[in-house]
Structures are given as structure tokens and as C-alpha cells.
Amino acid sequence: MLCDFHIHTTHSDGSVDLPRVIDLFGQAGFDVIAITDHVVDGDNAIGKLGRFLRLSVTEKKFGDYMERVRKEAQRAWDKYGMLVLPGVEISKNYISSDRSAHILLLDLKRFVPASWDYERIFLEAKRQDALVVACHPHHQSDPTSKDTLFLWNNRERYARYIDAWEIANRDDIFNVISLKKYPYIAGSDFHKTRHLYSWKTLLDCERNVKDVKRCIRDNRGVAITLFRN
Amino acid sequence: MELFWIFAAISGLGLVGYAMQILAVRSHLARQENRQGSGVAHPDIDSWASLEFTDPISVLKPLKGLDDNLFDNLESFCLQDYPQFEIIFCVQDRNDPARKVAAKVQERHPDLDISILVEDCQIGLNPKVNNLLPAYRRAKHPYILISDSNVRVGPDYLRAVIQPMRNPAVGLVSNPIRGVGGRSLGAIFENLHLNSFIMGSVCFLDRFLRMPCVVGKSMLMRRIDLEAAGGLFAVRNVLAEDYVLGRTIHSMGLKVVLSEYPIDNVNHYWSLRRFVNRHTRWGKMRWCIGGFRYLVELISNSVFVSWLSLLFWGPTGYTVVLAGAVSFLKIAGDYFLARRISAGIPSWHFLFSPIKDLLMGILWFAPLLSRSVTWRGNRFRIGPDSLLQPWRGRPATHAFGWTAWLSRRTTVSGRL
């Protein structure tokens, strides 16, 4: 199954709205995708700016966001046979890359604030049976993207909470994940239509939420592919 | 100043030509509307109108890469209200992402006769024909419909497109193309061009000049006629396989008919580069086929000609009025035509129409400078009648001596 677990829409800083994202991936034959708009930490200045610019899903908007994702997920299933997981990208942004971290929570049910400390976020995710993915955990090649190194720098402490690490993000590959033999997936970090062509995950499992999550957690039957037209 | 009036006259002539193209489209589509309203049949099928004609059709769909709305495009052929047809999707590479989309479509319609062929056939130079040949060999019905992957059709398409075949004198049926969608500049340009120049020219040639004009995005033929024309094998080394097939079938004494049924070419996310690449290729193809008739295209680009006067004489009252008036009339004409064919394009897209025409005016010169084309990742040199030759670097001779001189100069400067 061709999968992409890291996709943004206009609910945060993506440039393509949710229905078009669904159609774009559905028309391209994807089997599983996850919608993961940003939830920024509103306690710091960068997060406040993100919220002010409406680049974040807030607690107030979360219900509406999930409802729209669920509605589109149903349409995606009916029309394309494509499974859509609702999720968020918890975005803890600081001036220092070493302090910054982004975490995907997939198949999330209730809102999780980005201002919580890491342990509390991870435990809440476990409580909701959400999948926890550390995204772009190492240095990125895109000069416009800011590195988020906190989780990698503190891997000894946090790895036990993390179900998978992004071994590839859009055009980057993080070989350190391979060296550490951590469970992995790949995602596009989709913000624009051209990001459709990027690293993806291939899963060998049934097309349902339970099996997809188990496949990633067990990290058996997982491969990555560079999706090109 | 006299020269300015010559430019103004050429612009006017271009606008008159465009008005005639609009008339041709109106008249072509009115035929369908009249038929739907009064039950009067196509002139080629008048005497056969009382029969329900639904012979089995083999639909051949060559796939390569992901076109915009590929899933919907492919599925639209599965939703046909037609008694017996097969669909053969063909790809050359097992890892082609289009194969997965075709498989999903097949999975959703298990009751239909759909097959997916993966075969890397390299029998000729035309990549589309190479892709089609294995499917053509497998096709089992007496009617062969070759349909590009980037078109979407309504459920009555097969029923409509086969009707002219009631007349045994008809050998090939193709369809006018309507550009729809447009979420990027390249896609907006592409749709504007398809709905004005391409749609207008095709209908004009068919209605007023009675010239066989085949658009390869949809071609229906009898297998027996296609075999008599040499089959797809005969066009394996030409770029304009649609034109050559149409011409051959016409030379066999059979009619080439333009159906009144417009088919949608969905273009959402084209890059400007893709637009330039396609129309440079098509321009070179028309230059190789039409020779000096290609000059008519430049003259008929009234926007480009009117803006040339602005370039030559600067912004004077005359030149500004000419360029402004011609651009306005062209926008109005494009808008009217798109409304007439129900393309559903947002009104603001038409503001790009003069810019697109200026770009097309510049691209018009490309065939005079080079005969090489890049198509689906392959590079060729095209010769007379769009005959393809493998590209082996810069050719020893050029169409014009000065381009050879220019290329030598460029090479020397590059070395320095």
C-alpha cells in the first residue's frame, strides 16, 4: 500500500485545502494518507505568531477540524478506497534548533496542546491509542526549513515513547535512523502540490486503521519509496 | 506609418479569422443541439438514423505517469452506458504510478471487461504507439477506440462517438477537445489555448475547409480499416500518428468525421514549462506537416501582431489603441467561445488570454530554430511529415544556415 503520513492543508500552513488534498492523493492512487496539520505551542513567541497568522489548529478549532477530516475521510473511502487518518503535528518551535521538535500524532481523537511537556504529550497519545512519529528528526537540506533536533538529541530518553521515526522527509533521508535501527516511515511533509512527488511509505498490511498502526509499530512489512511521476 | 496600418490590417484579418472559427464551433455544436431537439441525425448517418447502433468496442488507453484527475478520467470510461466494450490499460513500466491507479479503477469495477497490460514494447520511436501496440494486438472487438489518459468523458460518450460509423463510408471518428480545470498558470494557459485556438481550428478545418482533422486524444476506427491502413505499426515512427492515420484513411476513400461530442481534457496543475514544451512540440509538428501554411498561424495570432506594432513604434496613441482593442476583442471572443462549449472556466482566467497569445507568438518561432522535440522523456529530431529520428546531439545541417552559424558561435562562446 502506498502511504503518506505527513500532510498539511489550509487548516494550518498548507496551500491546498482539505478536499483538494484528498482528491490529489486519491487521483494519484494512494491507499493510506494522514492529515497532520500543525498544533503550535502557544506559550512561546513563535507559537503565538503562528496562531495569530492562523497557521495552527487550536483547541477551539479542533472539533471542526476533526469533523471535516472525518467527512473527507468517508468521501475518500467511498470514492477512492483510500484510508484517511486524522492527526496533528505537534510543533514545538524555538529559536534554537536543538530545542525544537515536531511530533506526528496519528489517529488522534482528542486535542493535545503543544504546550504540554513531552512526557505528557506522549502519554496522552498512548491513552488515545494514537501513533507517535518523530518527524524530520535530523538536519534538513531545505534552507527554508528549520531543523528540529530535540528528539534526536534526547533519543535515549524519549525513544521508548516513539512508535516510528521519519527516516525520509520530502527530499531528505536521515540515515542516522537506519544506523540506530529505529522503526521508520517516510512522509512528504506536504504543503504544496509539487510535494506530492517525494518520499513515501509502503506498507504490506490490510487497509484498515488497526492493521496500519500495528504494521508501523511492529515495523514489519514497511518500506520507503521515492514517488516520482 | 504605412507599415503600422499593415500590422493593423493583419491584426484585423486575424480577428476575422477568429470570428470564423467561433462561427465554425457554434455551427458544429448547434448540429448536435438540433439533433437532440429535433431528432435530425448527423449528415453522415442520416440514412442509418433509425437503427440502434452499438457494436462492441475495444477501448485502448495508453498510460504513462500521473495526469491530472487520472482516476476520474479512467473511471469515466467504466461508467459508459454501452452494452459491450472492453477497456485495455497499457503501461510500459511496471513501476509506473499510473498502473496502480488503473488497478484501483479495475478493482472498483470487477463486473467490467478491464485488463491492464504491462509490456515494454520498443518497436518504433513514437512512445505512445509503442505503448499501444500490445493492447492493439490483444483487442478483440471490431471497433478500436484509442483514447488518451488525460481525457474525461460522459456516460453517453461511446454511444455518441460510434453513431457516425453506421455509415460504412466513415472510416475514422475523432472528437473536439475542451480544456477544463486550471489551478496553475500553465494549466490556465493550456485550457485557454485548447478552448480557443485548438477547438476553433479543428472545427474551422472540418466545417469550412472540409479538411480531415484528427485529434489523437480520441480516435475511433474499424479494426478492418485500421489494418488496411497498415495498423499502428505503420505509424510507429511518426510524431503525428493521429494526423497520418487520418490522412491514410481519407486516402482510402473513407470519411474522417469530427463528432459533435466534445471530450474534456482536465488540466489542473500544469507547469508553465510543460505548456511551453507541449506547444513547442506541436508547433514543430505542424511546421513539418504544413510547411509554409504554418505562417497562417502567426498571422492569425492578432494579439501578437498588434503588440508587435507597440514594440516597433513604441506606445503612441495608435499602437496602444490597436493593442488594447485587439486584446479586449480576443478576451471577449475566448470568453464567448468557452461559454458556448460549456468549459466552466472562471471568468478571471480570460484576463490571461492576451499573455498566453503573446507567449504563443514567441513560441511560433521555435520550429524555425530547431527540429528537436522532447516527448515523455524521449528526445527526437522530426523530419517531413513528422517522421521521427533518434536525437544524436546537434545535427550537422539546420533548416537555415544562420542557425548553424548561431549554434557554432554559441558553442565557441561556451568553450571560452
Side-chain angles (χ1 to χ4, degrees):
Chain A
M1 292 198 300
L2 182 61
C3 316
D4 192 336
F5 296 106
H6 193 164
I7 298 169
H8 298 276
T9 72
T10 48
H11 282 287
S12 61
D13 59 348
S15 66
V16 187
D17 64 29
L18 178 59
R20 281 189 190 173
V21 165
I22 297 295
D23 285 329
L24 194 68
F25 281 84
Q27 297 282 350
F30 278 73
D31 298 294
V32 186
I33 64 168
I35 303 297
T36 55
D37 276 300
H38 290 284
V39 170
V40 300
D41 180 357
D43 285 356
N44 65 41
I46 297 173
K48 280 191 176 102
L49 182 67
R51 281 190 175 187
F52 176 74
L53 295 172
R54 295 174 182 269
L55 302 177
S56 170
V57 174
T58 58
E59 188 168 7
K60 200 174 158 188
K61 292 194 287 185
F62 185 74
D64 179 51
Y65 168 71
M66 290 296 276
E67 186 51 39
R68 285 171 194 237
V69 174
R70 274 193 208 103
K71 197 174 147 197
E72 284 300 318
Q74 188 59 51
R75 186 174 71 85
W77 183 255
D78 293 342
K79 183 169 181 186
Y80 304 112
M82 181 172 75
L83 190 66
V84 178
L85 303 180
V88 294
E89 181 177 0
I90 299 288
S91 309
K92 285 177 166 288
N93 297 315
Y94 299 93
I95 292 168
S96 162
S97 297
D98 289 331
R99 289 186 65 202
S100 301
H102 285 197
I103 308 151
L104 297 179
L105 304 180
L106 308 179
D107 191 31
L108 194 69
K109 283 93 183 173
R110 292 177 298 280
F111 185 71
V112 176
S115 53
W116 285 0
D117 62 55
Y118 288 97
E119 266 95 353
R120 196 172 170 199
I121 290 171
F122 293 141
L123 290 172
E124 176 58 27
K126 293 289 167 207
R127 233 187 317 273
Q128 296 189 30
D129 193 28
L131 210 61
V132 177
V133 180
C135 43
H136 36 79
H138 215 253
H139 296 287
Q140 299 172 83
S141 60
D142 182 0
T144 61
S145 299
K146 196 169 164 297
D147 288 339
T148 49
L149 306 173
F150 181 83
L151 290 175
W152 180 254
N153 291 343
N154 295 277
R155 58 191 175 278
E156 305 301 338
R157 183 175 172 190
Y158 293 117
R160 63 199 164 108
Y161 296 111
I162 294 169
D163 294 310
W165 298 69
E166 268 190 352
I167 198 167
N169 176 287
R170 199 177 298 161
D171 298 316
D172 289 318
I173 286 210
F174 309 112
N175 62 342
V176 288
I177 306 298
S178 168
L179 291 168
K180 271 284 175 190
K181 297 186 170 40
Y182 281 157
Y184 62 89
I185 59 167
S188 65
D189 204 350
F190 178 95
H191 285 79
K192 299 173 182 172
T193 51
R194 64 184 159 86
H195 296 159
L196 181 67
Y197 302 108
S198 56
W199 283 101
K200 307 290 180 212
T201 308
L202 296 171
L203 295 184
D204 183 13
C205 66
E206 292 301 311
R207 201 179 306 171
N208 61 62
V209 179
K210 197 177 159 191
D211 279 12
V212 166
K213 287 200 296 191
R214 188 166 52 203
C215 188
I216 292 172
R217 280 187 180 128
D218 295 349
N219 231 233
R220 287 198 202 114
V222 179
I224 62 169
T225 182
L226 186 56
F227 187 68
R228 288 274 182 264
N229 194 6
Chain B
M1 203 60 201
E2 281 168 5
L3 204 56
F4 166 77
W5 289 111
I6 292 173
F7 272 78
I10 294 172
S11 300
L13 206 63
L15 285 175
V16 170
Y18 189 48
M20 289 180 74
Q21 289 185 352
I22 293 173
L23 277 177
V25 175
R26 277 194 66 177
S27 137
H28 192 77
L29 296 181
R31 206 160 62 176
Q32 183 195 27
E33 286 157 11
N34 290 340
R35 191 147 50 89
Q36 282 168 347
S38 64
V40 176
H42 188 287
D44 291 316
I45 57 172
D46 272 347
S47 54
W48 314 86
S50 59
L51 299 172
E52 168 76 350
F53 190 74
T54 52
D55 274 14
I57 301 176
S58 292
V59 181
L60 314 187
K61 300 284 289 181
L63 310 177
K64 184 168 172 71
L66 293 174
D67 292 300
D68 292 339
N69 266 38
L70 182 62
F71 184 92
D72 281 350
N73 294 346
L74 302 186
E75 193 175 42
S76 69
F77 284 81
C78 304
L79 303 173
Q80 290 300 306
D81 173 24
Y82 200 76
Q84 196 181 358
F85 65 101
E86 65 167 341
I87 302 173
I88 307 178
F89 297 122
C90 36
V91 286
Q92 291 193 290
D93 180 359
R94 189 164 182 78
N95 293 317
D96 192 312
R99 189 186 67 86
K100 187 166 172 48
V101 179
K104 274 201 156 189
V105 171
Q106 185 186 33
E107 189 184 303
R108 273 174 66 87
H109 299 276
D111 49 326
L112 291 179
D113 186 358
I114 300 174
S115 44
I116 301 171
L117 289 185
V118 184
E119 191 175 326
D120 186 16
C121 168
Q122 295 293 343
I123 209 156
L125 291 172
N126 183 316
K128 181 178 162 183
V129 174
N130 281 342
N131 200 355
L132 274 169
L133 267 164
Y136 176 58
R137 287 190 201 116
R138 279 275 293 269
K140 57 191 177 206
H141 293 315
Y143 285 88
I144 304 286
L145 176 71
I146 296 171
S147 166
D148 280 4
S149 56
N150 57 7
V151 298
R152 186 182 62 193
V153 295
D156 52 345
Y157 164 69
L158 287 183
R159 209 172 268 275
V161 80
I162 201 170
Q163 295 315 311
M165 287 292 188
R166 291 173 177 186
N167 184 348
V170 171
L172 192 153
V173 184
S174 73
N175 295 70
I177 308 296
R178 179 170 58 189
V180 297
R183 290 171 189 155
S184 65
L185 189 61
I188 291 171
F189 279 7
E190 178 65 13
N191 292 333
L192 287 171
H193 198 61
L194 287 176
N195 295 337
S196 56
F197 178 77
I198 302 291
M199 173 71 90
S201 306
V202 166
C203 291
F204 181 81
L205 291 172
D206 181 71
R207 297 289 294 161
F208 295 143
L209 302 184
R210 300 282 172 202
M211 282 173 69
C213 188
V214 179
V215 183
K217 292 197 180 298
S218 167
M219 295 189 290
L220 177 72
M221 292 160 278
R222 285 184 202 86
R223 190 182 189 112
I224 196 167
D225 295 335
L226 185 53
E227 288 293 335
L232 290 176
F233 186 78
V235 289
R236 69 194 184 283
N237 287 327
V238 292
L239 181 63
E241 78 288 340
D242 46 1
Y243 166 78
V244 175
L245 275 174
R247 194 183 58 184
T248 310
I249 285 177
H250 190 250
S251 69
M252 287 158 55
L254 295 169
K255 286 184 184 178
V256 174
V257 170
L258 184 69
S259 164
E260 294 96 13
Y261 193 102
I263 55 174
D264 290 341
N265 183 183
V266 185
N267 302 301
H268 282 315
Y269 300 107
W270 275 50
S271 65
L272 199 57
R273 186 178 174 180
R274 189 174 170 193
F275 172 81
V276 168
N277 183 33
R278 172 186 260 192
H279 292 287
T280 307
R281 189 176 77 238
W282 283 10
K284 287 173 183 176
M285 195 167 70
R286 291 195 296 269
W287 166 241
C288 289
I289 290 169
F292 283 99
R293 278 175 289 178
Y294 180 64
L295 187 66
V296 176
E297 284 186 24
L298 185 67
I299 295 168
S300 67
N301 189 339
S302 48
V303 172
F304 184 71
V305 175
S306 68
W307 279 74
L308 273 185
S309 68
L310 198 66
L311 183 77
F312 290 153
W313 288 281
T316 68
Y318 284 110
T319 55
V320 170
V321 167
L322 178 68
V326 169
S327 300
F328 175 77
L329 288 170
K330 185 64 177 23
I331 289 173
D334 283 4
Y335 179 76
F336 175 78
L337 200 50
R339 288 282 298 265
R340 190 71 189 77
I341 61 174
S342 312
I345 290 178
S347 305
W348 61 271
H349 283 196
F350 295 95
L351 297 174
F352 290 98
S353 177
I355 303 168
K356 183 270 295 176
D357 283 345
L358 288 174
L359 180 59
M360 287 308 299
I362 296 164
L363 294 182
W364 182 90
F365 294 93
L368 311 183
L369 301 171
S370 155
R371 293 279 185 91
S372 77
V373 291
T374 305
W375 185 22
R376 294 189 180 253
N378 304 295
R379 195 163 186 201
F380 307 104
R381 184 173 151 74
I382 46 175
D385 263 358
S386 83
L387 190 69
L388 292 166
Q389 294 158 11
W391 174 258
R392 295 195 181 93
R394 199 174 289 283
T397 54
H398 282 256
F400 297 98
W402 64 271
T403 55
W405 174 82
L406 188 68
S407 64
R408 277 198 300 274
R409 293 271 299 178
T410 315
T411 314
V412 171
S413 323
R415 278 178 199 148
L416 290 173

